[in-house]
Amino acid sequence: MFRVTMKEDLNEQDYYLEVEAPHVSRHWRPGQFVIIVTHERGERVPMSVATINGGRVGMFIKKLGKTSVELYRDFKVGSSLYAVAGPLGRPLKLESYGTVVLASDAVCGHAEQLGLAQELAKLGNKVISIQTFKTEKEVYPEKYLAKKYVDEHFITTLDGTAGYKGHYIDLLRELLARREVKAVFAGGVLANLKKLAEATAGLNARVYALVRTIMVDGTGMCGSCRVRYNGVIAYACRDGPWFDARLVDWDDVLRRDARFKKVEKIALDKYLAR
Amino acid sequence: MSRVVKKRFTPKVLPVSERLRSFGEVVLGYDYETSVREASRCLRCPLWFAPCSKACPLRVKVPAFLEYIVKGDLEAAARKVYEDNLFPSITGRVCPQEWFCEGSCVVSKIGESVSVGLLERYVGDYARENGLDEKILAEMVSKNSGVKGRVAVVGSGPAGLSAAGWLRLRGYEVVVYEALHRPGGVLAYGIPEFRLPRSVLDHEIKKVENLGVEIRLNHVVGKTVLLSELLSEYDAVFIGSGAGTPKLLNIPGVDLNNVYTANEFLTRVNLMRAHLFPEWDTPISVGKTTLIIGGGNTAMDAARVALRLGSKPVVVYRRDREDMLKTARRDEVLHAEEEGVEFRYYLQPVEFLGDENGFVKAVRFEVMEPLNELDERGKKKIVGTGRYVEIPADTVVIAIGLEPNRLLMEESGLRFNEDGTIAVDDHLMMSLPGVFAGGDAIRGESTVVEAMADGKRAAEEIDLYVRRKKGLA
């Protein structure tokens, strides 16, 4: 069950992992996520979905904490994950908006772009994609970029070694100044989503952000993922994970994201030292 | 008749000193001799009268099984229990017996009630340890000829497991859909193992699987598989999805770090084994002092978990101890007290205060006082005094209750009550024909034994429904 069917490097830190999970793929819609558990002692980790191929679910994962490093090192094609559950969360209700921008600067955001781009194109939107990487050698292989599904595709790098020099927010500002963008969908680094919300504060367009949170069950049972949204408490797992970026209390999200920083390091150090 | 023994025999209990850093079971139960002596205290009320049995949601024939214990025929005692209750090792441990069987025991008029719970547990454990449970169940299921139909069960908690077991015994093929990666529902994520050891729970689940029930893990009904699909694939559906969503306090600071809902706090430990971090991957962050807000069983569980994680637990309840005993199982309160959990009464939280890093550092409470009036649940009504106190704490657990998980609501065609519980008719059937429900999903917050009783009754109703539908009844 939940056999690994493919594992490939995206760059030095990020990798693509594909597992068999036909029960998840049947009803999955863009915007929904999965929860994976590596082994019996594993934690429940929410993951954005990059690809759905038949009964296989593909994810982009960053080698960051113990689980993601262990998954990269110890799980090979043919190994099995302990659990894959989903699809979870609310699918995005996508419409024909006109011109839309997809923006991302980290694994989860890059992953969600693929599904969103295809669906938005199907609905007749003019889709512009911006994918931000630190530097040229971190840019994903072409087949894992949203490029093939969109009308216009931009790579940006922070050091300017490839594509536009700067962050997706910088390029987005320029686009917004000269194009009539009707909707923005952004995912990735939380602190940058806060900046995005600020940058688009007065904008007459919809701005959606992927609110990545720490979850346990992922079905609305524990409240670990709670987000202050439009003044009330929402659960990212049940009511999200996509929200109107400008109604999210980002300071709250950022603070709660740091809850386990100390202990997370203990787990990784212990794993690396074994 | 010999004179009634007024005092109950005490079970073996793990010494307090050994409990502080251990998740081992606290109540170790009776041995054979003590169970015979305790069972002998029963006055053998005839079954048509026995208040204990009538007070039991499952209608366990208490005097009858106690009589077999007295005779030393534990297999017969087990058979008697299994006629009504498939999970005596669970109910014997987690039932608030003082509200049910023991609360209505005739002996309690002149002394202490008979310890029905401990005796039920003794019989259940004896059956399990000697392979009798499987034997009894195999005999019960073999009375059926052929398959009467197929039923899907949503949720593998007490309601779902019970429904699945009883449906199987009635000759149905049963598939249970469970959202999490481990079965058991609240028995797995909510109840700590010092009250219900994992080995006992695992065995009870295995027992149901060995009857031929299939449990499909990682399946969220409403997401992974839709109710409409279940309805077309099965003859009927039973929903035992529980009261899975925590109520939060709508007061400032509720989002601060280290403010947990009881569900998150308990799930991290009970289901995900965070107390074994980093051998197990899920972390929990607990400081020196943990304030637990609430006064029910969940609050007791959270307090005793916090204690075992090395924190100092303080339970803060807005009423008094007497009223707390109307919402928490007596034994859990007593155990928490003897383990050194501190209790503060008549305090209602008004604000969580945080430090510069966004972690909670104290809770501000309003001092409450009782009115000379009772509410609908028989508890004293309370009113604020306008006086406030601050209690320092670096961890807070909110244990003020649960409401049904609304995930299923997102699928249309179902009627829900205003409080989110599922509306059912007298036959436990929902507004959608063929869909039955029970347990906390229809009751809001209730007990394990009532959920099991719903599961059992739903099995009966589903049997009738399916046979009628197929023209067999």
Side-chain angles (χ1 to χ4, degrees), chain A residues 21-227:
Chain A
H23 64 304
V24 171
S25 63
R26 261 178 353 115
H27 288 301
W28 178 85
R29 305 287 306 139
Q32 290 188 295
F33 65 96
V34 298
I35 279 199
I36 64 167
V37 186
T38 46
H39 45 67
E40 200 192 356
R41 296 179 170 208
E43 54 186 336
R44 293 175 65 87
V45 188
M47 289 282 178
S48 286
V49 172
T51 60
I52 293 277
N53 280 323
R56 303 187 303 278
V57 175
M59 297 160 275
F60 292 172
I61 304 175
K62 188 185 191 73
K63 287 173 259 174
L64 189 67
K66 192 249 177 182
T67 298
S68 53
V69 173
E70 181 183 35
L71 199 50
Y72 183 77
R73 292 196 181 179
D74 300 351
F75 287 72
K76 303 180 168 46
V77 171
S79 323
S80 281
L81 267 55
Y82 183 66
V84 179
L88 296 163
R90 213 169 263 173
L92 265 163
K93 282 200 187 88
L94 301 173
E95 298 165 24
S96 302
Y97 306 94
T99 301
V100 300
V101 175
L102 303 178
S104 56
D105 60 357
V107 270
C108 54
H110 295 318
E112 305 243 355
Q113 276 215 22
L114 302 182
L116 286 173
Q118 293 174 72
E119 191 69 18
L120 286 163
K122 232 185 268 171
L123 289 163
N125 292 287
K126 180 176 165 47
V127 186
I128 302 169
S129 159
I130 313 172
Q131 296 191 263
T132 297
F133 299 90
K134 212 188 287 169
T135 182
E136 185 187 13
K137 71 177 201 328
E138 292 191 2
V139 176
Y140 289 179
E142 190 141 325
K143 70 167 176 167
Y144 292 112
L145 294 173
K147 197 169 179 177
K148 56 182 175 281
Y149 305 118
V150 298
D151 300 288
E152 284 178 67
H153 186 257
F154 297 94
I155 295 286
T156 87
T157 50
L158 300 183
D159 62 1
T161 46
Y164 176 95
K165 182 178 179 186
H167 189 264
Y168 72 69
I169 295 178
D170 305 317
L171 180 55
L172 180 67
R173 274 207 188 93
E174 287 181 23
L175 287 175
L176 291 173
R178 55 174 207 263
R179 303 269 194 94
E180 204 191 336
V181 174
K182 293 288 191 186
V184 178
F185 298 84
V189 178
L190 293 171
N192 292 331
L193 291 169
K194 180 187 174 188
K195 284 184 201 153
L196 170 81
E198 288 160 2
T200 55
L203 185 71
N204 185 24
R206 291 182 232 196
V207 184
Y208 296 100
L210 172 65
V211 183
R212 184 187 50 70
T213 55
I214 300 169
M215 296 184 186
V216 185
D217 68 296
T219 64
M221 186 267 276
C222 81
S224 171
C225 68
R226 63 187 186 269
V227 174

Side-chain angles (χ1 to χ4, degrees), chain A residues 2 23-24 26-27 32 37-44 66-67 70 82-91 214-217 219-224 226 228 233 235 238-239 252 255-256 258-260 263-264 266-267 270, chain B residues 179-182 189 217-220 223-226 229 244-246 248-251 253-261 263-264 267-268 271-272 277-285 357-359 398 402 405-407 410:
Chain A
F2 316 125
H23 64 304
V24 171
R26 261 178 353 115
H27 288 301
Q32 290 188 295
V37 186
T38 46
H39 45 67
E40 200 192 356
R41 296 179 170 208
E43 54 186 336
R44 293 175 65 87
K66 192 249 177 182
T67 298
E70 181 183 35
Y82 183 66
V84 179
L88 296 163
R90 213 169 263 173
I214 300 169
M215 296 184 186
V216 185
D217 68 296
T219 64
M221 186 267 276
C222 81
S224 171
R226 63 187 186 269
R228 194 154 282 276
I233 288 168
Y235 285 3
R238 183 191 59 197
D239 310 316
D252 184 59
R255 190 183 59 231
R256 288 186 62 77
R259 282 196 289 159
F260 297 106
V263 283
E264 278 163 1
I266 297 174
K270 183 164 185 294
Chain B
L180 294 173
H181 59 282
R182 280 178 75 94
Y189 73 72
L217 300 171
N218 306 305
H219 278 68
V220 184
K223 297 280 181 195
T224 312
V225 56
L226 306 179
E229 293 173 315
T245 297
L248 274 167
L249 286 160
N250 196 16
I251 60 174
V254 72
D255 313 323
L256 286 168
N257 292 358
N258 278 7
V259 175
Y260 294 92
T261 68
N263 264 11
E264 181 185 354
T267 301
R268 282 184 180 274
L271 182 76
M272 306 307 295
F277 178 88
E279 270 69 41
W280 288 61
D281 292 344
T282 302
I284 192 158
S285 154
N357 297 317
F359 282 77
I398 302 172
L402 302 164
N405 196 330
R406 289 164 194 250
L407 262 193
E410 301 190 355

Side-chain angles (χ1 to χ4, degrees), chain B residues 345-366:
Chain B
Y345 298 106
Y346 286 122
L347 293 176
Q348 172 141 305
V350 292
E351 187 179 1
F352 300 104
L353 306 165
D355 66 14
E356 63 282 3
N357 297 317
F359 282 77
V360 68
K361 63 170 187 189
V363 185
R364 205 166 125 80
F365 294 89
E366 179 170 13

Side-chain angles (χ1 to χ4, degrees), chain B residues 262-309:
Chain B
N263 264 11
E264 181 185 354
F265 190 75
L266 291 172
T267 301
R268 282 184 180 274
V269 175
N270 299 339
L271 182 76
M272 306 307 295
R273 324 294 264 178
H275 55 296
L276 302 175
F277 178 88
E279 270 69 41
W280 288 61
D281 292 344
T282 302
I284 192 158
S285 154
V286 176
K288 287 199 182 76
T289 307
T290 302
L291 288 194
I292 298 95
I293 295 168
N297 282 319
T298 310
M300 300 308 122
D301 287 344
R304 298 172 70 202
V305 164
L307 182 90
R308 284 158 175 79
L309 292 173

Side-chain angles (χ1 to χ4, degrees), chain B residues 43-55:
Chain B
L43 297 178
R44 315 269 167 75
C45 300
L47 276 179
W48 60 264
F49 167 72
C52 51
S53 182
K54 285 187 179 160

